[in-house]
Amino acid sequence: GDALVPRADVVIENRVHPVPLTNAKDEPKSQDIYTELLRLDNLRKRNIITESEFEAQKQKLLAAG
């Protein structure tokens, strides 16, 4: 009976560590990219970032996707 307790703890720990939290977010990737592009475009329109900064960030997003 007692031997099962540490084993259960080990299994739980092993499951927690190799699973990155980003996996859940990666599924709707294209939607995330689209949202981010809209945000960047808004910053560009307000002259918060330059055209070249917008392009650079867009390329990074598309490359990541």
Side-chain angles (χ1 to χ4, degrees), residues 10-63:
V10 170
V11 169
I12 290 166
E13 280 180 32
N14 284 347
R15 279 187 195 156
V16 170
H17 290 293
V19 179
L21 294 173
T22 51
N23 274 3
K25 286 185 194 169
D26 283 348
E27 289 175 28
K29 194 86 181 206
S30 57
Q31 193 175 346
D32 286 349
I33 291 171
Y34 182 66
T35 304
E36 189 67 11
L37 284 176
L38 285 176
R39 192 177 69 79
L40 289 168
D41 186 51
N42 194 33
L43 293 174
R44 181 176 57 90
K45 284 175 185 168
R46 293 163 183 246
N47 296 317
I48 294 170
I49 63 174
T50 66
E51 183 73 35
S52 60
E53 282 171 332
F54 171 79
E55 286 297 329
Q57 289 300 316
K58 185 174 82 169
Q59 292 308 318
K60 268 192 203 172
L61 279 173
L62 297 177

